[in-house]
C-alpha cells in the first residue's frame, strides 16, 4: 500500500505556493512603494534596503521613515517603529509551535513573523500544514519584499507619487482576504474581530498611530483556548 504522504505532500507544497503568491505580489508592490518613497524623500538607497533586511516590518518601516523625513531623529524613528511592531509579540505566541526546534530555526522564524504569514498559517486546517504554510509564505514574502524595496529604491523618483496608485491598500486587502474564511466559519472569531474593530475605532481619534491596533488585541480574551 502506498504511503498517502507521497501523494499529498507535493500537492500541498504546490497549493501553498499558489495560495501564497497573492501575498507575495502585494508584498512586492508595497515594497517598491516603500523603496521609492524613502529615496524620493531624500534618504540614500542603502537605508530602506538595510532596514528591510534587518527590521522587516512594513508598517513600522513606513512610520520610521516618515519620522525621519519629517525631521525626527533616529531614536524617535526607532521608538515609533517599535511601538507599531509590538503586536508581533502576540503573533509570535500564536505561531510558536510552528517554528520548529533549534535556536537558529526559531530565530529565523521569529524574523519572518508578520500579519500576513501568521494569518495565512493559522488559516490552515492542521498543524503540519500550518507549519508548512508559515515557512512557505514567510520565506517567499521576505524575498519578494526585499526585492521590491531594492527595485523601488533604485527607481527613486522615477515612479512619481506612489500614493496616487493606491499601493498602500494592497496589504490590507490581502489580509482581509486571508481572514475572511475564518470569519465565515467561526462565530467566536467573528465576535472577537468585531470587538477588536470597535475598540480600535473608539480610541483612534485620541490615540497615537499604532496604539489602536495594539489595544484591539484585548478582544482576544473572548476567544476560547486554541484547540490543537
Amino acid at each position: 500500500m502506498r504511503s498517502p504522504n507521497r501523494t499529498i505532500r507535493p500537492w500541498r507544497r504546490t497549493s501553498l505556493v499558489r495560495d501564497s503568491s497573492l501575498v507575495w505580489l502585494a508584498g512586492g508592490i508595497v515594497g517598491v512603494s516603500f523603496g521609492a518613497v524613502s529615496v524620493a524623500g531624500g534618504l540614500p538607497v542603502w537605508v530602506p534596503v538595510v532596514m528591510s533586511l534587518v527590521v522587516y516590518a512594513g508598517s513600522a518601516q513606513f512610520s520610521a521613515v516618515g519620522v525621519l523625513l519629517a525631521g525626527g531623529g533616529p531614536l524617535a524613528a526607532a521608538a515609533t517603529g517599535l511601538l507599531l511592531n509590538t503586536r508581533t509579540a502576540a503573533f509570535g505566541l500564536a505561531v510558536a509551535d510552528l517554528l520548529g526546534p533549534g535556536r537558529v530555526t526559531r530565530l529565523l522564524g521569529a524574523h519572518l513573523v508578520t500579519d500576513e504569514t501568521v494569518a495565512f498559517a493559522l488559516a490552515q486546517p492542521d498543524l503540519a500544514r500550518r507549519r508548512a504554510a508559515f515557512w512557505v509564505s514567510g520565506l517567499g514574502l521576505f524575498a519578494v519584499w526585499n526585492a521590491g524595496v531594492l527595485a523601488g529604491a533604485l527607481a527613486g523618483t522615477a515612479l512619481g507619487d506612489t500614493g496616487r496608485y493606491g499601493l498602500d491598500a494592497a496589504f490590507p486587502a490581502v489580509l482581509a482576504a486571508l481572514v475572511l474564511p475564518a470569519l465565515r466559519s467561526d462565530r467566536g472569531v467573528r465576535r472577537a474581530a468585531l470587538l477588536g474593530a470597535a475598540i480600535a475605532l473608539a480610541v483612534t481619534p485620541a490615540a497615537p498611530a499604532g496604539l489602536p491596533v495594539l489595544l484591539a488585541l484585548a478582544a482576544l480574551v473572548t476567544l476560547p483556548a486554541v484547540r490543537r
Side-chain angles (χ1 to χ4, degrees):
M1 180 178 179
R2 288 190 305 175
S3 169
N5 290 336
R6 294 181 179 178
T7 57
I8 293 176
R9 285 180 178 174
W11 174 82
R12 282 181 173 178
R13 286 193 296 268
T14 302
S15 64
L16 288 176
V17 170
R18 180 197 63 211
D19 295 342
S20 298
S21 60
L22 179 61
V23 181
W24 297 344
L25 177 61
I29 293 173
V30 180
V32 169
S33 176
F34 173 72
V37 166
S38 301
V39 174
L43 295 177
V45 170
W46 67 267
V47 171
V49 173
V50 172
M51 184 184 292
S52 295
L53 288 170
V54 178
V55 179
Y56 184 51
S59 59
Q61 290 180 223
F62 272 104
S63 299
V65 165
V67 171
L68 291 174
L69 295 181
L75 291 180
T80 301
L82 183 62
L83 175 63
L84 283 176
N85 231 31
T86 306
R87 70 188 187 282
T88 59
F91 295 161
L93 293 176
V95 298
D97 58 340
L98 307 182
L99 304 185
R103 291 184 179 180
V104 175
T105 301
R106 297 183 73 82
L107 182 62
L108 175 59
H111 193 55
L112 299 178
V113 171
T114 65
D115 307 65
E116 296 75 30
T117 55
V118 171
F120 185 65
L122 296 184
Q124 307 307 315
D126 56 73
L127 179 60
R129 189 169 173 87
R130 286 197 295 271
R131 179 175 289 124
F134 175 83
W135 286 103
V136 168
S137 63
L139 290 171
L141 183 58
F142 181 79
V144 173
W145 168 262
N146 281 280
V149 170
L150 177 60
L154 292 176
T157 58
L159 295 177
D161 181 11
T162 56
R164 66 184 178 184
Y165 302 128
L167 300 182
D168 54 338
F171 260 150
V174 170
L175 191 59
L178 289 175
V179 301
L180 279 177
L183 293 176
R184 285 198 298 262
S185 62
D186 193 313
R187 181 179 298 177
V189 172
R190 287 198 300 272
R191 183 169 56 246
L194 288 173
L195 178 58
I199 293 172
L201 289 174
V203 302
T204 292
L211 187 57
V213 177
L214 300 180
L215 295 177
L217 293 176
L220 293 176
V221 301
T222 64
L223 287 176
V226 177
R227 294 185 297 272
R228 301 188 187 281

